[in-house]
Amino acid sequence: MDWTAFFLSLRLAGLTVLILLPVAVFAGRFLAYRHFAAKSLIEAVVMLPLVLPPTVFGFYLLTGFGARSPIGQAWQAMFGQPLVFTFEGLLLASVIFNLPFAIQPTQRGFEAIPVQVREAAACCGLSPLRALWRIELPLAWPGLMTAMALTFAHTLGEFGIVLMVGGSIPGQTKTIAISIYDKVQGFDMQGAATMSAVLLAISLTTIMLTFWLSARAGRRLS
Amino acid sequence: MTLEVMARAEGPIALNLAFKVEPGELLALVGPSGSGKSTVLRTIAGLWTPTTACVRVGGETWLDTARKVSLSPHQRKLGMVFQSYALFPHLTAEANVMAAMTDQPKASRVPEARRLLDLVNLGGLRQRRPADLSGGQQQRVAVARALARNPKVLLLDEPFSAVDRATRDSLHGEIRALRAGLTMPIVLVTHDMNEAQMLADRLVVIDAGQMVTSGPTDEVMVDAAALRALGIREAGSALHARIAAHEADELTRLDTSAGPIWLPLIDAAPGAALLVRIMAHDIILSRQRPAGLSALNILAVTVVSIRTGDGPGALVTCRAGDEVILARITRRSARMLELAPGVSCHAILKSMSVARDHIGLTP
């Protein structure tokens, strides 16, 4: 059992969720309430990581973050280390490839709030921020929870992009999924089996917990 | 605090109207569906802004497109009751009411919410969530919530159209009773002319976004242009009556300044004041006092005016005591009876023709 890889994965997944939570709330809310010409284009771009092969997506991130790219150079200048093949670069990639998992369910959550309920909040004197906190977030909660659970579980399981952008540096970018692959490559089937089982259990628990909480919230609201 | 509204827009929703609502007055915006009634209400609330519009309450300007003043909805101190109730589903009845009290001291919120829920006869259901309340109960919570902000204007957007008829009747009664304690201008949007006539002090008739006419309810309901927009079948008068006695054969005798009338038993104590909507098409006119007729109610009236349109009908306005009675008869009948202003005749009304929801208690 590669505990280093295991905790690295948990840290990556946890931080990804933490960063994406506000992003999902504001982007999901914006896409749910507004109607504008470029909306379909933006929604399609957000969905891209779902349909592109991880290697293709990883390739673009690798070249986009690389030492010769503007982003890579700016990062190097600011923090004195490269963006690719570091934990920070992996986290940034993770945030980007999880955008659809975070934004889509959140957007659906906000879309499920009847327009008149939002208007009623305004007519009750609630400022937009207060309405978000007191009315909209509690109502969009099932969607938001699904988004965070999917993001968490998906980060644990992502392989292709992590390999492309992060390489396989122990303690830096070697996640549990990569570690399992390495174990199989090294004919350590026993180790791979243990870690696979752990990953399976965590993913299943996360999703089950979400479904259960979401159903409970749904019953409360209907 | 007087509410002044002016709105003009070309499209997508054409509007052209202006009206005032005095403190404590209930004004109903009526007209066919799609006429722009709700748009006017949304303009007052700040949920929609026409090209040119002005909304003033007391000395406060909420909207003035010419001066580029536009308060957002939460900055306008108003109460709004939506057709779909629009309660917050995750909050109890009490919390729904308290949600509108953000600018009040915390300590007073709970007692005030309880007082308001008692006012709408919902004291016992404070801890229920909207899903566990009936439509009528949800709308009562919505009314309490709308009042919770101490609004300067109360807006009611088709508030009773989603509930069944019996519930609507009792809600009408409650609104009439509630109004005695309300001092702000109230604007009601409805397509139900019975509701408008039973509740409103004044009417504004809108058709395709244009103001057709406005004025006191009794006057607008006999106005030719208003009736063209609303449909002639809505023509009717509202009789002010008082319960005199309940009689043994399940009839209630009412005293009106036009004379006594009998209606099927009304569930209210003798002495109670009522408004009874008498539809013009339910009235028969006769020059002689008829004998051997099954109809119980025969009122001596004087013809005030006769109006004929393109069709076969004539609308006869009659006076009896302080009351106006409208009769919709055929032009042929008007000619045969030689009706003319000043002519005395008798208005005949079947007791059984008055619908239950056309009788309302007034405080």
Side-chain angles (χ1 to χ4, degrees):
Chain A
M1 182 73 196
D2 183 351
W3 288 109
T4 312
F6 175 72
F7 285 117
L8 182 89
S9 277
L10 284 188
R11 191 153 68 99
L12 181 67
L15 285 172
T16 304
V17 167
L18 219 59
I19 293 171
L20 275 178
L21 187 70
V23 174
V25 167
F26 287 100
R29 187 169 180 262
F30 182 81
L31 289 172
Y33 297 168
R34 302 295 179 85
H35 299 279
F36 50 95
K39 186 171 166 176
S40 297
L41 177 68
I42 291 181
E43 284 176 321
V45 169
V46 167
M47 290 299 276
L48 264 185
L50 269 186
V51 290
L52 275 184
T55 42
V56 174
F57 200 71
F59 170 75
Y60 281 120
L61 289 179
L62 188 62
T63 46
F65 291 174
R68 270 174 296 177
S69 74
I71 299 175
Q73 280 170 354
W75 187 275
Q76 178 84 40
M78 264 193 295
F79 299 102
Q81 58 167 7
L83 193 51
V84 285
F85 306 123
T86 60
F87 181 75
E88 288 75 18
L90 187 59
L91 181 59
L92 188 58
S94 172
V95 164
I96 294 173
F97 74 66
N98 272 303
L99 281 175
F101 297 92
I103 291 176
Q104 265 276 335
T106 310
Q107 183 184 344
R108 297 289 166 261
F110 280 109
E111 278 170 355
I113 304 173
V115 180
Q116 290 205 324
V117 167
R118 286 195 278 130
E119 292 179 343
C123 289
C124 281
L126 298 175
S127 64
L129 205 64
R130 251 199 181 127
L132 172 68
W133 186 247
R134 304 264 315 268
I135 308 299
E136 294 169 32
L137 278 180
L139 293 178
W141 179 237
L144 199 59
M145 208 163 38
T146 305
M148 294 308 112
L150 284 179
T151 301
F152 188 84
H154 178 237
T155 310
L156 288 186
E158 181 54 42
F159 177 78
I161 296 174
V162 175
L163 198 60
M164 293 287 282
V165 180
S168 175
I169 306 163
Q172 271 282 337
T173 60
K174 188 173 178 183
T175 64
I176 187 163
I178 309 265
S179 178
I180 292 169
Y181 179 73
D182 280 357
K183 291 258 187 302
V184 174
Q185 292 276 294
F187 299 107
D188 178 4
M189 298 309 271
Q190 186 59 47
T194 314
M195 289 168 73
S196 295
V198 169
L199 197 58
L200 176 70
I202 292 177
S203 300
L204 192 64
T205 311
T206 311
I207 303 291
M208 244 167 45
L209 203 66
T210 313
F211 281 2
W212 179 69
L213 284 174
S214 164
R216 213 180 58 151
R219 265 201 308 279
R220 197 163 54 96
L221 298 180
S222 66
Chain B
M1 247 167 311
T2 307
L3 167 70
E4 294 168 75
V5 179
M6 185 278 287
R8 253 182 270 287
E10 301 279 303
I13 310 163
L15 274 184
N16 187 11
L17 48 83
F19 60 84
K20 273 188 191 181
V21 194
E22 300 298 332
E25 183 179 61
L26 194 154
L27 176 117
L29 293 172
V30 295
S33 53
S35 59
K37 309 183 291 285
S38 286
T39 309
V40 178
L41 216 59
R42 296 174 65 78
T43 303
I44 300 172
L47 300 170
W48 193 72
T49 308
T51 346
T52 312
C54 190
V55 176
R56 275 202 203 93
V57 181
E60 237 174 81
T61 302
W62 284 0
L63 173 69
D64 188 344
T65 49
R67 287 170 40 212
K68 299 211 183 319
V69 176
S70 178
L71 298 189
S72 49
H74 74 275
Q75 294 168 319
R76 306 182 184 196
K77 210 165 153 81
L78 56 88
M80 177 123 166
V81 177
F82 294 83
Q83 182 178 356
S84 60
Y85 323 131
L87 295 179
F88 307 130
H90 59 303
L91 300 178
T92 62
E94 190 174 275
N96 260 280
V97 176
M98 282 165 60
M101 297 180 175
T102 43
D103 53 353
Q104 290 168 40
K106 274 212 163 73
S108 68
R109 290 183 198 169
V110 172
E112 178 63 4
R114 292 189 176 176
R115 185 186 71 81
L116 287 166
L117 286 171
D118 286 340
L119 198 65
V120 295
N121 303 318
L122 226 55
L125 304 175
R126 286 195 297 259
Q127 297 308 324
R128 294 247 187 120
R129 286 184 204 281
D132 301 322
L133 294 170
S134 71
Q137 290 165 340
Q138 289 191 50
Q139 203 53 299
R140 287 186 180 94
V141 177
V143 170
R145 184 179 67 177
L147 293 174
R149 221 180 150 189
N150 290 321
K152 293 181 176 171
V153 175
L154 182 61
L155 305 174
L156 310 169
D157 189 6
E158 304 254 9
F160 312 118
S161 59
V163 296
D164 61 82
R165 206 164 126 170
T167 308
R168 189 156 60 225
D169 278 359
S170 53
L171 283 170
H172 285 166
E174 285 175 33
I175 287 288
R176 269 193 298 268
L178 206 58
R179 275 199 54 200
L182 301 181
T183 53
M184 73 291 272
I186 306 170
V187 184
L188 165 73
V189 160
T190 182
H191 64 266
D192 178 351
M193 284 316 298
N194 181 46
E195 188 168 284
Q197 196 163 15
M198 300 295 275
L199 293 178
D201 304 311
R202 289 199 309 125
L203 299 181
V204 167
V205 182
I206 306 178
D207 196 5
Q210 308 289 309
M211 188 156 87
V212 176
T213 183
S214 72
T217 306
D218 291 345
E219 288 174 23
V220 171
M221 288 310 291
V222 299
D223 183 88
L227 287 172
R228 251 197 308 280
L230 301 170
I232 187 70
R233 281 199 67 83
E234 293 294 350
S237 51
L239 229 60
H240 303 83
R242 196 168 282 281
I243 294 185
H246 299 302
E247 298 182 351
D249 52 354
E250 307 262 328
L251 291 177
T252 296
R253 192 178 86 236
L254 303 176
D255 282 338
T256 76
S257 69
I261 59 171
W262 285 265
L263 294 179
L265 197 63
I266 296 166
D267 185 18
L274 300 174
L275 208 57
V276 183
R277 188 175 184 227
I278 309 283
M279 303 309 295
H281 54 247
D282 285 335
I283 293 286
I284 295 172
L285 291 179
S286 168
R287 286 298 293 265
Q288 285 83 41
R289 188 176 175 86
L293 197 68
S294 70
L296 292 176
N297 305 307
I298 301 171
L299 300 170
V301 301
T302 308
V303 174
V304 176
S305 67
I306 302 166
R307 208 164 38 229
T308 53
D310 299 331
L315 189 67
V316 183
T317 308
C318 306
R319 183 158 282 285
D322 300 330
E323 304 294 338
V324 169
I325 291 177
L326 288 182
R328 207 174 132 229
I329 60 175
T330 57
R331 281 208 310 247
R332 185 188 296 182
S333 305
R335 197 170 55 241
M336 282 183 347
L337 265 58
E338 297 177 335
L339 294 181
V343 166
S344 296
C345 59
H346 297 272
I348 300 160
L349 171 71
K350 275 170 62 71
S351 296
M352 304 310 273
S353 68
V354 178
R356 184 60 67 189
D357 58 350
H358 286 190
I359 303 167
L361 280 168
T362 54

